[in-house]
Amino acid sequence: MEMDSLGDRILNGERRALARAITLVESGRADHRAQAVELLTHLAQAGRQSLRIGLSGTPGVGKSTFIESFGMMLTAQGLRVAVLAVDPSSARSGGSILGDKTRMERLSRDKNAFIRPSPSQNHLGGVARRTREAIALCEAADFDVVLIETVGVGQSETVVAELSDLFLLLLAPAGGDELQGVKRGIMEMADMILVNKADGDLKAAATRTCADYAGALRLLRKRPQDPETFPKAMTVSAVEEHGLEHAWEEMQALTKWRRDNGHWEANRAAQARYWFGQEVRHSLLARLDTAQAKAEMERLNTEVSQGRLSPALAAEQMLAGLS
């Protein structure tokens, strides 16, 4: 596979080339990894950037319905939209559901949209390790907006904030104790909270829930990357497509303010440093996966289990052998 040729096809917006490249970066083979690095280096020279929007929410909140309605609204405005939907992987077989193309039937047929389901592979927060590189490929293919949907909501899901320019938290109307079910950490990461299903019998409940979250956001410490009134809570209806345009206007306003005040580039630089550290950690762990390393681990395991070595000393010996 010629990486420069594949890269040029991606830069020209060829969807098949993009899909092939994402498969390449998701591969665990060493030769594919070398090719992926070569390809990403080639594409980085183009310097293209998309608006990266991370989206998380509790199961059943309507993330896929929201993404389809929101994506259709953006493509109707002439924007090109890529959706990277991270699906749950089976801990037993490693397989995943990969049902997003079924759930986003209208958007999957839109010529200005690209949907790529990706198994989470048991990585932290349900965000696949190579999702960051898939985002870079979509940017190189000149998509205006990249939506990153994560598996669920919780403390670990905040890793999506290290992938995105805007982080949306999608929640459903609830009664009474809904604030108790959302971790403070993810609230602090959110740029906007969107209360979905604000329609029909749930409209009043959605309005009350939105007010509760707006009050909770005011209690959080002010972040330097936020203008006045942000982060904020809003109501939307993905089914009736109400509130989507207003939410998009607010996202654009926040993005413009961050660009004008230097926070956009600072955030991208901080994310690059974060992922450099993650790559180093992953590479070190990969060195434990060789036959020689596994044999040494087994030998030291025996020493530790029989009490001849302490766990700390055995770990030191193992790490010394890797250097």
Side-chain angles (χ1 to χ4, degrees):
M1 194 187 304
E2 182 59 48
M3 290 303 103
D4 287 350
S5 173
L6 182 62
D8 291 340
R9 289 167 56 202
I10 292 171
L11 293 171
N12 288 329
E14 289 189 28
R15 298 161 67 94
R16 184 169 294 182
L18 175 59
R20 187 178 183 185
I22 293 177
T23 300
L24 179 68
V25 301
E26 289 177 346
S27 173
R29 281 175 43 177
D31 57 335
H32 287 173
R33 189 73 210 128
Q35 289 178 326
V37 171
E38 179 186 346
L39 175 63
L40 290 164
T41 302
H42 174 70
L43 293 174
Q45 298 171 6
R48 294 177 178 174
Q49 288 189 339
S50 308
L51 175 60
R52 307 171 183 171
I53 301 177
L55 180 73
S56 192
T58 51
V61 75
K63 291 191 295 294
S64 295
T65 306
F66 171 82
I67 289 175
E68 178 168 58
S69 297
F70 186 63
M72 293 295 292
M73 181 199 71
L74 295 179
T75 58
Q77 297 178 11
L79 299 174
R80 299 183 72 230
V81 178
V83 179
L84 300 175
V86 184
D87 270 300
S89 289
S90 164
R92 180 174 301 175
S93 66
S96 60
I97 302 168
L98 302 180
D100 289 278
K101 285 195 174 183
T102 303
R103 296 197 299 269
M104 303 179 196
E105 186 178 354
R106 285 188 303 147
L107 190 61
S108 65
R109 295 198 304 263
D110 195 309
K111 62 182 178 62
N112 286 324
F114 175 84
I115 300 177
R116 175 69 181 218
S118 177
S120 62
Q121 301 169 344
N122 296 324
H123 288 298
L124 177 64
V127 179
R129 178 186 174 189
R130 297 304 171 195
T131 300
R132 176 182 57 87
E133 294 175 349
I135 292 170
L137 292 171
C138 292
E139 287 187 312
D142 212 18
F143 282 92
D144 300 293
V145 178
V146 180
L147 295 168
I148 308 109
E149 178 196 2
T150 63
V151 172
V153 61
Q155 198 74 21
S156 64
E157 286 299 310
T158 54
V159 72
V160 76
E162 298 294 347
L163 292 167
S164 53
D165 303 309
L166 298 178
F167 179 34
L168 310 182
L169 180 58
L170 199 64
L171 299 172
D177 294 329
E178 63 269 12
L179 280 171
Q180 298 296 324
V182 178
K183 300 289 187 181
R184 179 186 176 96
I186 201 167
M187 288 274 289
E188 291 172 331
M189 291 287 186
D191 295 308
M192 292 176 64
I193 290 178
L194 302 179
V195 181
N196 193 25
K197 304 185 179 181
D199 48 61
D201 294 339
L202 290 174
K203 190 169 184 177
T207 302
R208 290 193 300 270
T209 301
C210 182
D212 288 341
Y213 281 112
L217 288 172
R218 285 193 291 270
L219 298 176
L220 298 179
R221 185 172 56 186
K222 186 70 176 174
R223 305 180 305 182
Q225 70 267 32
D226 292 330
E228 289 299 322
T229 75
F230 279 92
K232 62 174 55 180
M234 302 174 61
T235 58
V236 296
S237 169
V239 172
E240 296 185 352
E241 301 184 2
H242 290 162
L244 300 181
E245 289 193 7
H246 185 208
W248 175 233
E249 289 169 1
E250 294 289 352
M251 292 178 214
Q252 290 177 296
L254 177 57
T255 300
K256 183 180 185 304
W257 186 89
R258 286 180 174 173
R259 283 185 180 274
D260 293 345
N261 290 273
H263 295 292
W264 173 283
E265 291 300 332
N267 183 53
R268 288 277 179 117
Q271 288 177 349
R273 291 192 296 270
Y274 171 86
W275 287 108
F276 164 67
Q278 291 299 307
E279 284 296 326
V280 171
R281 290 178 179 89
H282 280 298
S283 297
L284 286 173
L285 288 173
R287 295 176 66 179
L288 293 174
D289 206 31
T290 64
Q292 182 180 353
K294 287 179 179 178
E296 181 64 7
M297 281 282 286
E298 189 60 36
R299 185 187 70 81
L300 290 171
N301 266 330
T302 302
E303 296 284 313
V304 169
S305 62
Q306 293 179 357
R308 293 196 292 268
L309 276 179
S310 69
L313 185 57
E316 285 185 12
Q317 290 184 16
M318 185 69 209
L319 293 173
L322 293 176
S323 61

